[in-house]
CSV table of all heavy atoms in Angstrom, one decimal:
chain,number,residue,atom,x,y,z
B,30,TYR,N,20.6,201.9,93.3
B,30,TYR,CA,20.7,203.2,94.1
B,30,TYR,C,21.6,203.1,95.2
B,30,TYR,O,22.3,204.1,95.6
B,30,TYR,CB,19.3,203.6,94.5
B,30,TYR,CG,18.4,204.0,93.4
B,30,TYR,CD1,17.3,203.1,93.0
B,30,TYR,CD2,18.6,205.2,92.7
B,30,TYR,CE1,16.5,203.4,91.9
B,30,TYR,CE2,17.7,205.5,91.6
B,30,TYR,CZ,16.7,204.6,91.2
B,30,TYR,OH,15.9,205.0,90.2
B,31,THR,N,21.6,201.9,95.9
B,31,THR,CA,22.6,201.8,97.0
B,31,THR,C,24.0,201.8,96.5
B,31,THR,O,24.8,202.5,97.2
B,31,THR,CB,22.3,200.4,97.6
B,31,THR,OG1,20.9,200.3,98.1
B,31,THR,CG2,23.2,200.2,98.8
B,32,VAL,N,24.3,201.2,95.4
B,32,VAL,CA,25.7,201.3,94.9
B,32,VAL,C,26.0,202.7,94.5
B,32,VAL,O,27.2,203.2,94.7
B,32,VAL,CB,25.8,200.3,93.6
B,32,VAL,CG1,27.2,200.5,93.0
B,32,VAL,CG2,25.5,198.9,94.1
B,33,LEU,N,25.1,203.4,93.9
B,33,LEU,CA,25.3,204.8,93.5
B,33,LEU,C,25.7,205.7,94.7
B,33,LEU,O,26.6,206.5,94.7
B,33,LEU,CB,24.1,205.3,92.7
B,33,LEU,CG,24.2,206.8,92.2
B,33,LEU,CD1,25.4,206.9,91.3
B,33,LEU,CD2,22.9,207.2,91.6
B,34,VAL,N,24.9,205.5,95.8
B,34,VAL,CA,25.1,206.2,97.0
B,34,VAL,C,26.5,205.9,97.6
B,34,VAL,O,27.2,206.8,98.0
B,34,VAL,CB,24.0,206.0,98.0
B,34,VAL,CG1,24.4,206.6,99.4
B,34,VAL,CG2,22.7,206.5,97.5
B,35,ALA,N,26.9,204.6,97.5
B,35,ALA,CA,28.2,204.2,98.0
B,35,ALA,C,29.3,204.9,97.2
B,35,ALA,O,30.3,205.4,97.8
B,35,ALA,CB,28.3,202.7,98.0
B,36,VAL,N,29.2,204.9,95.9
B,36,VAL,CA,30.2,205.5,95.0
B,36,VAL,C,30.3,207.0,95.3
B,36,VAL,O,31.4,207.5,95.4
B,36,VAL,CB,29.9,205.2,93.6
B,36,VAL,CG1,30.9,205.9,92.7
B,36,VAL,CG2,30.0,203.7,93.3
B,37,VAL,N,29.1,207.6,95.4
B,37,VAL,CA,29.2,209.1,95.6
B,37,VAL,C,29.8,209.4,97.0
B,37,VAL,O,30.6,210.3,97.1
B,37,VAL,CB,27.7,209.6,95.6
B,37,VAL,CG1,27.7,211.1,96.0
B,37,VAL,CG2,27.2,209.5,94.2
B,38,LEU,N,29.5,208.5,98.0
B,38,LEU,CA,30.1,208.7,99.3
B,38,LEU,C,31.6,208.6,99.3
B,38,LEU,O,32.3,209.4,99.9
B,38,LEU,CB,29.5,207.7,100.3
B,38,LEU,CG,29.9,207.8,101.8
B,38,LEU,CD1,29.5,209.2,102.3
B,38,LEU,CD2,29.3,206.7,102.6
B,39,VAL,N,32.1,207.6,98.6
B,39,VAL,CA,33.5,207.4,98.5
B,39,VAL,C,34.2,208.6,97.8
B,39,VAL,O,35.3,209.1,98.2
B,39,VAL,CB,33.8,206.1,97.7
B,39,VAL,CG1,35.3,206.0,97.3
B,39,VAL,CG2,33.4,204.9,98.5
B,40,ILE,N,33.5,209.1,96.7
B,40,ILE,CA,34.1,210.3,96.0
B,40,ILE,C,34.1,211.5,96.9
B,40,ILE,O,35.1,212.2,97.0
B,40,ILE,CB,33.3,210.6,94.8
B,40,ILE,CG1,33.4,209.4,93.8
B,40,ILE,CG2,33.7,211.9,94.1
B,40,ILE,CD1,32.5,209.5,92.5
B,41,VAL,N,33.1,211.7,97.7
B,41,VAL,CA,33.0,212.9,98.6
B,41,VAL,C,34.0,212.8,99.7
B,41,VAL,O,34.8,213.7,99.9
B,41,VAL,CB,31.6,213.0,99.2
B,41,VAL,CG1,31.6,214.1,100.3
B,41,VAL,CG2,30.6,213.3,98.1
B,42,LEU,N,34.1,211.6,100.3
B,42,LEU,CA,35.1,211.4,101.4
B,42,LEU,C,36.5,211.5,100.8
B,42,LEU,O,37.4,212.1,101.5
B,42,LEU,CB,34.9,210.1,102.0
B,42,LEU,CG,33.6,209.9,102.9
B,42,LEU,CD1,33.5,208.4,103.4
B,42,LEU,CD2,33.6,210.9,104.0
B,43,GLY,N,36.8,211.1,99.6
B,43,GLY,CA,38.1,211.2,99.0
B,43,GLY,C,38.4,212.6,98.7
B,43,GLY,O,39.6,213.1,98.9
B,44,ALA,N,37.4,213.4,98.2
B,44,ALA,CA,37.7,214.8,98.0
B,44,ALA,C,38.0,215.6,99.3
B,44,ALA,O,38.9,216.4,99.3
B,44,ALA,CB,36.5,215.4,97.3
B,45,VAL,N,37.2,215.3,100.4
B,45,VAL,CA,37.5,215.9,101.6
B,45,VAL,C,38.9,215.5,102.2
B,45,VAL,O,39.6,216.4,102.7
B,45,VAL,CB,36.4,215.5,102.7
B,45,VAL,CG1,36.7,216.1,104.1
B,45,VAL,CG2,35.1,216.1,102.2
B,46,SER,N,39.2,214.3,102.1
B,46,SER,CA,40.5,213.8,102.6
B,46,SER,C,41.7,214.5,101.8
B,46,SER,O,42.7,214.9,102.4
B,46,SER,CB,40.6,212.3,102.5
B,46,SER,OG,39.7,211.7,103.3
B,47,LEU,N,41.5,214.6,100.5
B,47,LEU,CA,42.5,215.2,99.6
B,47,LEU,C,42.7,216.7,100.0
B,47,LEU,O,43.8,217.2,100.0
B,47,LEU,CB,42.1,215.1,98.2
B,47,LEU,CG,43.1,215.6,97.1
B,47,LEU,CD1,44.4,214.9,97.3
B,47,LEU,CD2,42.6,215.5,95.7
B,48,SER,N,41.6,217.4,100.3
B,48,SER,CA,41.7,218.8,100.7
B,48,SER,C,42.5,219.0,102.0
B,48,SER,O,43.0,220.0,102.3
B,48,SER,CB,40.4,219.4,100.7
B,48,SER,OG,39.6,218.9,101.7
B,49,LYS,N,42.3,218.0,102.9
B,49,LYS,CA,43.0,218.2,104.2
B,49,LYS,C,44.3,217.5,104.3
B,49,LYS,O,45.0,217.6,105.4
B,49,LYS,CB,42.0,217.6,105.3
B,49,LYS,CG,40.7,218.3,105.5
B,49,LYS,CD,39.9,217.7,106.5
B,49,LYS,CE,38.6,218.5,106.8
B,49,LYS,NZ,38.9,219.9,107.3
B,50,MET,N,44.8,216.9,103.3
B,50,MET,CA,46.1,216.2,103.3
B,50,MET,C,47.2,217.2,103.1
B,50,MET,O,47.2,218.0,102.3
B,50,MET,CB,46.1,215.1,102.2
B,50,MET,CG,47.4,214.3,102.2
B,50,MET,SD,47.4,213.0,100.9
B,50,MET,CE,46.0,212.0,101.4
B,51,THR,N,48.2,217.0,104.0
B,51,THR,CA,49.4,217.9,103.9
B,51,THR,C,50.6,217.1,103.3
B,51,THR,O,50.7,215.9,103.5
B,51,THR,CB,49.9,218.4,105.3
B,51,THR,OG1,50.1,217.3,106.2
B,51,THR,CG2,48.7,219.3,105.9
B,52,THR,N,51.5,217.8,102.6
B,52,THR,CA,52.6,217.1,102.0
B,52,THR,C,53.9,217.7,102.7
B,52,THR,O,54.0,218.8,103.2
B,52,THR,CB,52.7,217.4,100.5
B,52,THR,OG1,52.8,218.8,100.3
B,52,THR,CG2,51.5,216.9,99.8
B,53,ASP,N,54.9,216.8,102.7
B,53,ASP,CA,56.2,217.2,103.3
B,53,ASP,C,57.3,216.5,102.5
B,53,ASP,O,57.3,215.3,102.3
B,53,ASP,CB,56.3,216.7,104.8
B,53,ASP,CG,57.4,217.3,105.5
B,53,ASP,OD1,58.3,217.9,104.9
B,53,ASP,OD2,57.4,217.3,106.8
B,54,LEU,N,58.2,217.4,102.0
B,54,LEU,CA,59.3,216.8,101.2
B,54,LEU,C,60.2,215.9,102.1
B,54,LEU,O,60.6,214.8,101.6
B,54,LEU,CB,60.2,218.0,100.7
B,54,LEU,CG,61.4,217.5,99.9
B,54,LEU,CD1,61.0,216.8,98.6
B,54,LEU,CD2,62.3,218.8,99.5
B,55,LEU,N,60.4,216.2,103.4
B,55,LEU,CA,61.1,215.4,104.3
B,55,LEU,C,60.3,215.1,105.5
B,55,LEU,O,60.4,215.9,106.5
B,55,LEU,CB,62.4,216.1,104.7
B,55,LEU,CG,63.4,216.3,103.6
B,55,LEU,CD1,64.6,217.1,104.1
B,55,LEU,CD2,63.9,215.0,103.0
B,56,PRO,N,59.4,214.2,105.5
B,56,PRO,CA,58.5,213.9,106.6
B,56,PRO,C,59.2,213.5,107.8
B,56,PRO,O,60.3,212.9,107.8
B,56,PRO,CB,57.6,212.8,106.1
B,56,PRO,CG,58.4,212.1,105.0
B,56,PRO,CD,59.2,213.2,104.4
B,57,ASP,N,58.6,213.8,109.0
B,57,ASP,CA,59.2,213.5,110.3
B,57,ASP,C,59.0,212.0,110.5
B,57,ASP,O,57.9,211.5,110.6
B,57,ASP,CB,58.5,214.3,111.4
B,57,ASP,CG,59.2,214.0,112.7
B,57,ASP,OD1,60.3,213.5,112.7
B,57,ASP,OD2,58.6,214.4,113.7
B,58,MET,N,60.1,211.3,110.5
B,58,MET,CA,60.1,209.8,110.7
B,58,MET,C,60.9,209.5,111.9
B,58,MET,O,61.9,210.2,112.3
B,58,MET,CB,60.7,209.1,109.5
B,58,MET,CG,59.9,209.4,108.2
B,58,MET,SD,60.8,208.7,106.7
B,58,MET,CE,60.8,207.0,107.1
B,59,SER,N,60.6,208.4,112.5
B,59,SER,CA,61.3,208.0,113.7
B,59,SER,C,61.9,206.6,113.5
B,59,SER,O,61.2,205.6,113.1
B,59,SER,CB,60.3,207.9,114.9
B,59,SER,OG,61.0,207.4,116.1
B,60,PHE,N,63.2,206.5,113.6
B,60,PHE,CA,63.9,205.2,113.5
B,60,PHE,C,64.1,204.6,114.9
B,60,PHE,O,64.3,205.3,115.9
B,60,PHE,CB,65.3,205.4,112.8
B,60,PHE,CG,65.2,205.7,111.4
B,60,PHE,CD1,66.3,206.1,110.7
B,60,PHE,CD2,64.0,205.6,110.7
B,60,PHE,CE1,66.2,206.4,109.3
B,60,PHE,CE2,63.9,205.9,109.3
B,60,PHE,CZ,65.0,206.3,108.7
B,61,GLN,N,64.0,203.3,115.0
B,61,GLN,CA,64.1,202.6,116.2
B,61,GLN,C,65.6,202.3,116.5
B,61,GLN,O,65.9,201.2,116.9
B,61,GLN,CB,63.2,201.4,116.3
B,61,GLN,CG,61.8,201.6,116.0
B,61,GLN,CD,61.2,202.6,117.0
B,61,GLN,OE1,61.1,203.8,116.7
B,61,GLN,NE2,60.7,202.1,118.1
B,62,TYR,N,66.4,203.3,116.4
B,62,TYR,CA,67.9,203.0,116.6
B,62,TYR,C,68.4,204.1,117.5
B,62,TYR,O,67.9,205.2,117.6
B,62,TYR,CB,68.7,203.1,115.3
B,62,TYR,CG,68.4,201.9,114.4
B,62,TYR,CD1,67.4,201.9,113.4
B,62,TYR,CD2,69.2,200.8,114.4
B,62,TYR,CE1,67.2,200.8,112.6
B,62,TYR,CE2,69.0,199.7,113.6
B,62,TYR,CZ,68.0,199.8,112.7
B,62,TYR,OH,67.8,198.7,111.8
B,63,ALA,N,69.4,203.7,118.3
B,63,ALA,CA,70.2,204.7,119.1
B,63,ALA,C,71.6,204.3,119.1
B,63,ALA,O,72.0,203.1,119.0
B,63,ALA,CB,69.6,204.7,120.6
B,64,LEU,N,72.5,205.3,119.2
B,64,LEU,CA,73.9,205.1,119.3
B,64,LEU,C,74.5,205.6,120.6
B,64,LEU,O,74.0,206.6,121.2
B,64,LEU,CB,74.6,205.9,118.2
B,64,LEU,CG,74.2,205.7,116.7
B,64,LEU,CD1,75.0,206.6,115.8
B,64,LEU,CD2,74.5,204.2,116.3
């Protein structure tokens, strides 16, 4: 039962994270360079 609860918790948290995740074709990245 403990293992089952852990698996269900992982699935639930994964579903919540997936629903709140945003996608970006060109994500904002910062390079440590200057000219």
Side-chain angles (χ1 to χ4, degrees):
Y30 293 106
T31 302
V32 174
L33 179 61
V34 171
V36 171
V37 171
L38 183 61
V39 170
I40 294 173
V41 171
L42 291 176
V45 172
S46 299
L47 183 62
S48 64
K49 294 183 176 296
M50 184 179 295
T51 59
T52 60
D53 192 346
L54 180 62
L55 298 173
D57 186 15
M58 301 172 60
S59 177
F60 288 169
Q61 303 302 95
Y62 289 88
L64 301 178

